[in-house]
Structure formats: structure tokens, C-alpha cells
Amino acid sequence: MRDHPGVPHITPPYRLQVHDSIGGVPAQAWDALLARQPCPTPFMRHAYLAALEASASACPRTGWTPRCLTLQDASEPGVLRGACMLYLKGHSRGEYVFDWAWADAYQRHGLPYYPKAVAAVPFTPVPGTRLLAVDEDARATLLRLALQWCQAQRLSSLHLLFAADEDLSAARALGLMQRDTVQFHWHDRHPQEGRPFRDFDDFLAALSQDKRKKIRQERRRVAQAGIVFRVRQGRQITAGDWDFFYACYERTYLEHGNPPYLTPDFFHRMARTLPEAWVLFIAERAGAPIACSLIAVDAQPSSGEGQNDSNPVTAYGRYWGALERVDSLHFEACYYQPIDWCIAHGVRRFEGGAQGEHKLARALLPTRASSAHWIAHPAFAHAIDDFLSDESAAVARYQEALQAHSPFRHVP
């Protein structure tokens, strides 16, 4: 095996183990290590990753072959020092960091781009820690060993998608290339006074007149259509609610000509094993549900049947769907209802995800999200590095242009 520059061999005391499933790692040990990270998300919880596999949502049949890497200290057998969830991919679907052009270039030169390895949460473009580690030394070692393993498997590349800052720092130290994109996040912080918003009206008052007027018009249209919302969190979400949600979720995908990534069994497992991570907004008319949106939160397990013991800090917009078309209902279900709920529950940030400048008009502000990439082929690595340098400059200009159109009112 020929080493890629910047990927030295690692000697003991660390030892890398490769498991064919997240099930090979005890849930308690995995979640305890995740809790120590600067940027944990519910999507990296053991129950979430296990449900992706067990429900046949992310599995070899769908092109996601799991490989769970764990790092142990030879002097402390059984003690988890680091961990990383990898997937071997035979395609690039469900990643949201688009490398189709890279794969096409490989093919045109008679070289295989697949299989490749990704450290990511399938179908989930949410930034968070990918290299779980007890400290920065262990994080760097975990990445070095992961790169060595990828070389030994003769993989074309390794991609850390939507990685946290600590992952990106470790990646840069090893010479990985960084790729940037822009997402849209809402923050519970008054732009002039630096305090949390008191309520939704207080939030609206901070916006410019045209943005405030537009949001009020959109909310009025939904109310005049006879739509009311029922909000359920955690174990308050019934089996019937989950079934209705899936009907909406599936319809959204099918309307765009694609089957849904996640199976019904995945959400059934979420209801059993990770209920505290979900809040469901159900739109009803005349007592009948017609649409819904689902967000995730970083809440901890509840000791009861209702709310969680502590309020979450971050919420993540995930899925939506409707069985009827109502003007402005999408904006109400996906943005205004979640923002209103976040303000009421002291949630500091609502991540609305990627794509769509329309989010900026609703005070979801542009935020940089980054990934790290290792390419085994030196010539392609050089060409991709040049491409990413140009792309990064373009992304920076795009973000700067967006920031120049703040939705908040200007106070002289």
C-alpha cells in the first residue's frame, strides 16, 4: 500500500476496530462519547443510526453499507476513545454535498469513483460532530487511522459531510480539502438588543416593514382558510399522528418523482427509541388533519409522558407534507409555527437547512456549513483542490450578498 502524503502510519497504543454495524458498539458507550462532543446532534445518537440500519433505510440494498470505526487505547481495553460512523457508497444520493461531477470525471478517465467512504448521517444535511473523540489527540488519530483503512480498502475517497469545526480542524491538519456551502439558520436573538425574543410579535417587530407585512399576510391567509395547528412533542405524538405524518412525507417525495428515503419502520422505531427528539406540527381544518411538519430537537429523554425534563437548545427543520394545497401553508408549517414554538420554549437556534433564499425573508440567516474531502488519486486531488478553491470564493461572495439583504429593520 502506498501512503498518501500527510497520512502517516500510527503505532500503538491506539487500536482501531471496524464493525459491520452500529450494533457492534454498546449504545451507552456511544452516546456517552457523543455527549462529550462540542456539537452533538440527535442524528448521531445510537438509536437514530441503529434505526436507519434496522429499518432498511440506510443499508447495503439502498447503497449505504455501514462501517463503524472505534478507537481504543491498548492500555485500557474496552474503553471507547473515539468512534466514527462510515458508510461505503456506490452512488452519491442522499448526501446533499454534490460530487456527481467528480464521479463523472473519474468515469471519463476509465477510473472507478465508487465505492467511496462517507462519514455522514444518511439523508440528513445537518452539521455536527463526525469524529467522536475524548480529546483532540484521539480525534486526529481516529482520522489518520480511518484514512489508512480507506487506503487499505482501495477506496477512491473519504468525505466528512457537514462536519463540525473540530472535525474540520483535524482534517485540515492532515491536508484534507474543505468544501463550503450555505445553510439558513434562525437565532432567538434580537438583532439590536441582543436578548431573546419575548414572543412572535416581538420577533416580527424586529423585521423590516415589508418583511413583517408579508409574514402577517401569509399567516392571515392560512387562518382565513380555517387552518389551526395542533403541536405534539415526544411521547405526545400518537401512532396515528406518526402514520399521518408518513402519508404526508411520502406524498412530498412522490410528487417530486422520487420514493422516500426513510421507511415507515424508521419512524416507528423513532417513536419507540428516540421520542424526545421530535416535535410534530399538525395542520387541521374542521377537525381533520391536512398537513404537517416535523422538526427534531436536541432534548434529553423525558421521565414522563409529556414534555421533556429540560428545554432543547437547538431545533432542526426536517420534513413536511400536505394532502391539500392551501396558500402559504408551507411557510406557516415549516417556519412560523416552529419559530413560534422555539421562542416559547427558549430554543436558541432553528436550523432551516440548505437551499432557498426565501428563508432569508423569514429571518433564517445565511450560515456557512463545511465538509472535508480526501481523494486518493493525486492528480484528481490536485484538480479538485483547484476547483474547491474557486468554489469557496464563489460561496463566500454568495453569502456576503445574502448578508447584505438582512430582513431585520435598520436602526440608525
Side-chain angles (χ1 to χ4, degrees):
M1 178 184 71
R2 183 176 61 83
D3 281 336
H4 188 278
V7 187
H9 280 291
I10 300 299
T11 56
Y14 289 113
R15 182 168 62 93
L16 186 74
Q17 283 189 299
V18 181
H19 309 267
D20 290 343
S21 167
I22 185 68
V25 182
Q28 185 175 5
W30 177 279
D31 287 341
L33 184 60
L34 176 64
R36 298 178 60 171
Q37 307 310 303
C39 192
T41 71
F43 312 107
M44 285 292 289
R45 295 270 293 274
H46 192 282
Y48 190 93
L49 297 171
L52 287 171
E53 289 186 37
S55 67
S57 298
C59 62
R61 183 181 62 80
T62 61
W64 296 79
T65 300
R67 290 293 184 267
C68 185
L69 278 55
T70 57
L71 187 69
Q72 297 184 9
D73 191 321
S75 64
E76 296 180 283
V79 177
L80 200 60
R81 304 284 293 174
C84 176
M85 193 67 219
L86 290 185
Y87 295 89
L88 304 184
K89 296 292 302 297
H91 56 69
S92 295
R93 294 187 294 275
E95 298 175 15
Y96 303 97
V97 176
F98 304 109
D99 61 353
W100 300 103
W102 304 359
D104 181 64
Y106 265 68
Q107 183 180 36
R108 285 188 282 107
H109 285 80
L111 297 172
Y113 187 68
Y114 305 109
K116 64 176 184 177
V118 297
V121 180
F123 327 120
T124 308
V126 174
T129 302
R130 301 291 174 253
L131 303 170
L132 311 187
V134 295
D135 55 36
E136 295 313 306
D137 178 64
R139 197 182 319 279
T141 300
L142 176 63
L143 181 53
R144 290 189 189 102
L145 290 174
L147 289 170
Q148 289 183 18
W149 182 81
C150 288
Q151 288 180 316
Q153 300 299 309
R154 303 184 69 82
L155 302 177
S156 74
S157 50
L158 170 64
H159 310 264
L160 278 62
L161 305 184
F162 300 100
D165 288 344
E166 62 273 13
D167 300 328
L168 297 171
S169 178
R172 283 193 297 270
L174 284 175
L176 274 71
M177 299 172 286
Q178 182 167 314
R179 189 175 194 185
D180 301 320
T181 187
V182 173
Q183 295 192 342
F184 296 85
H185 298 175
W186 174 89
H187 295 268
D188 186 18
R189 185 178 183 275
H190 194 287
Q192 284 83 39
E193 302 177 21
R195 57 167 174 79
F197 295 112
R198 288 185 287 268
D199 51 32
F200 198 85
D201 284 338
D202 186 39
F203 161 63
L204 285 181
L207 298 176
S208 62
Q209 182 180 8
D210 60 326
K211 301 298 189 294
R212 182 168 60 249
K213 179 180 179 180
K214 184 175 181 62
I215 290 175
R216 283 176 171 160
Q217 287 175 338
E218 290 170 343
R219 301 203 83 180
R220 190 180 305 117
R221 292 189 195 110
V222 174
Q224 290 174 346
I227 306 297
V228 296
F229 275 82
R230 177 166 53 91
V231 183
R232 294 292 181 264
Q233 181 180 4
R235 295 189 185 279
Q236 295 174 343
I237 306 174
T238 68
D241 292 334
W242 280 112
D243 288 343
F244 173 72
F245 158 75
Y246 196 84
C248 294
Y249 164 77
E250 182 180 45
R251 180 166 180 165
T252 297
Y253 273 83
L254 294 177
E255 284 179 347
H256 289 84
N258 300 304
Y261 284 128
L262 300 170
T263 66
D265 185 49
F266 171 79
F267 292 104
H268 293 158
R269 291 176 183 274
M270 288 294 93
R272 294 195 305 270
T273 65
L274 203 61
E276 67 275 6
W278 304 101
V279 181
L280 184 64
F281 301 86
I282 304 173
E284 297 180 335
R285 180 157 57 189
I290 66 166
C292 65
S293 70
L294 183 71
I295 69 172
V297 295
D298 59 1
Q300 297 302 309
S302 172
S303 58
E305 294 298 311
Q307 300 294 324
N308 296 297
D309 296 332
S310 60
N311 284 336
V313 174
T314 307
Y316 311 88
R318 295 309 302 127
Y319 309 108
W320 118 281
L323 303 185
E324 298 181 24
R325 296 191 181 278
V326 176
D327 188 14
S328 302
L329 181 55
H330 172 261
F331 299 132
E332 180 70 29
C334 295
Y335 306 121
Y336 307 147
Q337 286 289 323
I339 288 174
D340 200 349
W341 185 89
C342 286
I343 294 172
H345 290 79
V347 176
R348 299 176 193 168
R349 184 173 75 252
F350 171 58
E351 298 190 7
Q355 302 175 354
E357 288 85 349
H358 63 277
K359 296 174 183 174
L360 179 61
R362 290 153 183 90
L364 283 83
L365 303 182
T367 303
R368 189 75 60 92
S370 301
S371 302
H373 306 267
W374 170 79
I375 304 294
H377 193 288
F380 272 101
H382 180 75
I384 290 172
D385 192 34
D386 287 344
F387 164 77
L388 292 180
S389 178
D390 293 340
E391 185 186 60
S392 179
V395 169
R397 291 193 297 271
Y398 171 63
Q399 185 175 2
E400 185 178 352
L402 290 172
Q403 290 169 337
H405 295 83
S406 171
F408 292 104
R409 60 187 174 89
H410 176 67
V411 178

